[in-house]
């Protein structure tokens, strides 16, 4: 009988994409995904350590798996991702139910780790991979492997980070910044386009640093803006996105790409973290508030309808009420369509942890977070309401979380659009719809013919 696996993933898009790569690798190793009531032979937890919440979830899950393993000693349990890299051997020591631990750079060794686990040998594989090209090259999609998102795909173009923002564990868990050869990226995009993919998201921790020559390392052959151009030129590719970017690497060429490349979606996720120059400096972000505002202005000159989203941290050590108000005012001034905001979470081995600046009171940090999120909700709702009546192109992703037979997809601005059509549109297809309503979370759309009916006054 075929062995069955389950994979549980926490974390960012990079981590979600790594989980997809792992699923594909497991298909090649003759595993198949367990249905919800199937017995499982292998459970993998793919972790994130950017904030302590995700890390704590891992420990809870491992507790449950320990109990399960008492009843089913054959069950294999592995942990991958950023917590695996960070904690390494400590995990194996602390959790006897764990068979193997592997870091984000060691995905391709997974089949070997599983073999060893079957021989009851517990292994740790968290070495930083020196063979950069090999690290990115994994087997092609297995014929039976179904993507979780037909019509769109993520493509890793670089990994790691050399910036060392004071709060961030990523340079430690994902290692140094490495760009993948451009030729390999374009080859993968061509294969994806042939298999029906219409939208590609280029992925990397500081994706727009792509191609930067770093001492002792091979740079990508093309500058980032040129890479985007080549990806957009691939037959069948209609939308290009990239995430996550850093303000320091928004080059003139990238801004120009927004002006001249219709395939480059009018949305940019550009983390700013804080609106206070004092905090930007304390965080080692390497840019000022004014730099960010100038970049936002230049981008909007190039693409007037550009939707900007961002990441924000509140309660970084030393943040005063005045600093926080600078964040509120920046959010208003830029008019972010959406943002992800977090309370500062102290992480192991980060520069901020070594400083003696006092933490912001948890209660105060919580209040700041709520105030910021309330402001963002109202800005998001306003941005959504401005779009009611517009026509928009949606890439269909599947059933809507709202149920009721609704489908869901994303518009070029990366907003969730819910809709019902008759007949239902297939997942992965592109459709032109008309927006008829807005909430802080999503837009509601109908087929253009229905829009006239939907907008008639109800008597
Ligand atoms: N505490 C809180 N938020 C963090 N992020 C990264 N590290 C931390 C931390 N220690 C946030 C940043 C980043 C996003 C991916 O997670 O906003 O952009
Ligand atoms: Fe972390 Fe800063 Fe690198 Fe982003 S740019 S991964 S926040 S160190």
């Amino acid at each position: 009988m075929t062995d069955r696996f389950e994979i549980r993933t926490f974390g960012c898009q990079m981590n979600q994409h790594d989980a997809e790569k792992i699923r594909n690798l497991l298909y090649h190793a003759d595993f198949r995904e367990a249905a919800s009531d199937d017995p499982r032979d292998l459970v993998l937890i793919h972790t994130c350590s950017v904030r302590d919440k995700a890390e704590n979830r891992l420990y809870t899950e491992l507790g449950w798996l320990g109990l399960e393993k008492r009843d089913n000693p054959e069950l294999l349990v592995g942990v991958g991702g950023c917590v695996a890299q960070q904690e390494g051997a400590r995990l194996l020591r602390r959790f006897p139910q764990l068979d193997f631990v592997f870091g984000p750079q060691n995905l391709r060794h997974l089949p070997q780790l599983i073999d060893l686990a079957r021989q009851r040998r517990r292994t740790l594989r968290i070495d930083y991979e020196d063979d950069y090209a090999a690290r990115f090259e994994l087997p092609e999609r297995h014929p039976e492997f179904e993507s979780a998102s037909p019509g769109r795909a993520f493509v890793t173009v670089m990994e790691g980070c050399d910036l060392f923002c004071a709060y961030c564990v990523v340079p430690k868990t994902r290692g140094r910044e490495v760009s993948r050869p451009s030729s390999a990226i374009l080859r993968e995009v061509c294969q994806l386009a042939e298999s029906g993919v219409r939208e590609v998201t280029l992925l990397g921790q500081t994706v727009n640093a792509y191609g930067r020559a770093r001492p002792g390392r091979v740079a990508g052959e093309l500058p980032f803006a040129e890479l985007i151009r080549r990806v957009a030129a691939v037959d069948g590719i209609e939308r290009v996105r990239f995430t996550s970017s850093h303000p320091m690497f928004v080059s003139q060429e990238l801004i120009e790409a927004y002006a001249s490349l219709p395939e480059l979606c009018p949305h940019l996720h550009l983390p700013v973290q804080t609106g206070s120059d004092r905090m930007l400096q304390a965080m080692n972000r390497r840019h000022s508030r004014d730099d960010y505002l100038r970049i936002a202005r230049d981008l909007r000159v190039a693409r007037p309808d550009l939707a900007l989203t961002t990441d924000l941290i509140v309660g970084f050590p030393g943040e005063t009420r005045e600093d926080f108000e600078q964040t509120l005012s920046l959010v208003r001034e830029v008019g972010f369509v959406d943002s992800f905001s977090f309370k500062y979470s102290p992480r192991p081995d980060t520069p901020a942890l070594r400083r003696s600046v006092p933490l912001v009171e948890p209660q105060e940090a919580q209040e700041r977070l709520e105030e910021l999120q309330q402001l963002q909700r109202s800005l998001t709702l306003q941005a959504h309401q401005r779009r009611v009546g517009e026509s928009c192109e949606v890439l269909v992703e599947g059933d809507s979380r709202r149920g009721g037979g609704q489908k869901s997809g994303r518009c070029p601005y990366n907003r969730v659009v819910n809709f019902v059509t008759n007949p239902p549109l297939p997942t992965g297809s592109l459709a032109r719809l008309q927006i008829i309503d807005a909430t802080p979370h999503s837009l509601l759309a109908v087929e253009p013919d229905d829009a006239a009916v939907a907008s008639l006054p109800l008597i």
Side-chain angles (χ1 to χ4, degrees):
M1 223 173 73
T2 319
D3 282 345
R4 299 276 157 189
F5 74 92
E6 179 190 343
I7 175 161
R8 300 180 193 163
T9 312
F10 316 129
C12 64
Q13 273 170 332
M14 196 88 174
N15 231 35
Q16 307 280 347
H17 183 49
D18 280 353
E20 284 282 287
K21 293 180 189 170
I22 292 172
R23 287 174 63 221
N24 186 43
L25 270 168
L26 292 174
Y27 269 71
H28 282 281
D30 289 332
F31 278 85
R32 291 295 173 271
E33 206 124 24
S36 56
D37 45 0
D38 276 349
R40 298 148 313 163
D41 304 282
L42 169 68
V43 176
L44 290 180
I45 309 183
H46 202 56
T47 60
C48 164
S49 60
V50 157
R51 287 170 294 276
D52 57 359
K53 221 169 167 179
E55 188 175 333
N56 292 335
R57 251 179 89 186
L58 165 69
Y59 302 133
T60 313
E61 299 263 345
L62 281 175
W64 287 113
L65 286 166
L67 292 177
E68 194 173 331
K69 215 164 158 164
R70 274 192 216 156
D71 298 333
N72 174 15
E74 298 298 308
L75 177 69
L76 303 181
V77 178
V79 168
C82 290
V83 183
Q85 189 71 38
Q86 177 192 300
E87 295 298 311
R90 277 196 293 267
L91 282 175
L92 285 172
R93 275 199 297 273
R94 186 170 155 196
F95 298 100
Q97 62 271 47
L98 198 51
D99 296 289
F100 57 92
V101 170
F102 61 105
Q105 299 184 18
N106 297 276
L107 306 188
R108 67 198 176 103
H109 302 298
L110 198 53
Q112 190 193 7
L113 298 180
I114 294 171
D115 278 346
L116 290 169
R118 283 177 172 142
Q119 299 162 36
R120 304 255 163 257
R121 285 169 61 191
R122 304 176 77 214
T123 24
L124 173 68
R125 186 96 209 215
I126 52 165
D127 37 319
Y128 291 114
E129 178 75 76
D130 287 335
D131 184 347
Y132 297 132
R135 185 163 113 193
F136 289 113
E137 299 322 315
L138 292 167
E140 278 180 28
R141 234 183 233 190
H142 188 278
E144 285 176 46
F145 175 82
E146 278 179 31
S147 155
S149 54
R152 61 195 181 106
F154 295 92
V155 175
T156 307
V157 305
M158 60 84 70
E159 264 186 18
C161 181
D162 281 2
L163 294 183
F164 296 92
C165 297
Y167 49 82
C168 188
V169 79
V170 164
K172 197 85 192 169
T173 57
R174 295 267 175 177
R176 298 287 60 75
E177 179 188 315
V178 185
S179 291
R180 181 181 179 192
S182 313
S183 48
I185 296 169
L186 291 168
R187 212 176 311 124
E188 186 177 344
V189 172
C190 287
Q191 281 161 2
L192 289 165
E194 273 165 31
S195 73
V197 164
R198 297 284 153 264
E199 176 183 304
V200 165
T201 304
L202 307 179
L203 276 184
Q205 253 83 37
T206 48
V207 68
N208 56 333
Y210 176 81
R212 200 159 74 113
R214 308 296 291 146
R217 264 166 272 151
V218 189
E221 301 110 61
L222 297 172
F224 186 55
E226 183 56 26
L227 179 73
I228 294 179
R229 256 174 225 290
R230 302 275 185 98
V231 169
V234 170
D235 250 1
I237 297 300
E238 298 187 40
R239 289 179 173 188
V240 183
R241 306 179 186 278
F242 57 90
T243 200
S244 189
S245 49
H246 191 289
M248 224 175 103
F249 306 112
V250 178
S251 64
Q252 220 31 62
E253 292 75 22
L254 185 56
I255 294 174
E256 158 57 20
Y258 276 102
S260 59
L261 261 190
E263 292 87 356
L264 182 55
C265 287
H267 164 237
L268 175 61
H269 185 69
L270 189 61
V272 65
Q273 315 298 357
T274 165
S276 146
D277 274 330
R278 221 172 60 83
M279 286 296 105
L280 282 167
Q281 204 156 30
M283 289 178 177
N284 190 28
R285 287 291 293 175
R286 304 161 195 247
H287 64 83
S288 65
R289 176 188 171 101
D290 274 351
D291 291 335
Y292 192 93
L293 287 169
R294 188 173 27 78
I295 293 166
R297 250 192 325 268
D298 290 351
L299 282 162
R300 282 179 174 147
V301 169
R303 186 69 80 88
D305 60 342
L306 186 81
L308 277 170
T309 58
T310 200
D311 289 343
L312 298 158
I313 296 178
V314 301
F316 187 72
E319 186 190 70
T320 61
R321 177 73 208 176
E322 288 70 43
D323 292 316
F324 172 63
E325 279 171 10
Q326 290 282 303
T327 299
L328 294 176
S329 84
L330 183 85
V331 167
R332 275 196 212 94
E333 193 166 341
V334 178
F336 291 113
V337 170
D338 212 343
S339 57
F340 298 102
S341 42
F342 315 98
K343 273 183 292 187
Y344 168 67
S345 162
R347 305 310 295 138
D349 284 326
T350 49
L353 205 68
R354 292 191 283 274
R355 297 184 191 150
S356 52
V357 183
L359 291 177
V360 173
E361 284 297 314
Q363 175 71 21
E364 177 65 28
Q366 181 62 30
E367 282 170 18
R368 287 180 194 174
L369 184 70
E370 284 169 19
E371 193 175 341
L372 178 59
Q373 292 184 338
Q374 197 178 346
L375 168 64
Q376 185 61 65
R377 262 195 304 279
S378 74
L379 289 174
T380 303
L381 180 60
Q382 284 167 27
H384 284 179
Q385 281 169 338
R386 279 196 295 273
R387 295 194 50 206
V388 173
E390 272 180 23
S391 134
C392 79
E393 183 203 61
V394 176
L395 182 65
V396 184
E397 285 181 15
D399 293 334
S400 162
R401 285 203 300 206
R402 290 158 61 107
Q406 280 187 22
K407 294 263 182 192
S408 174
R410 292 211 179 228
C411 69
Y413 305 98
N414 209 33
R415 307 314 299 160
V416 173
V417 181
N418 294 308
F419 52 90
V420 184
T421 57
N422 191 9
L425 294 166
T427 301
S429 62
L430 280 164
R432 187 146 285 281
L433 300 172
Q434 184 142 11
I435 301 169
I436 58 161
D437 203 1
T439 75
H441 307 289
S442 59
L443 298 160
L444 186 66
V446 293
E447 284 173 293
D449 283 346
D450 292 347
V453 181
S455 63
L456 281 178
L458 295 174
I459 310 171

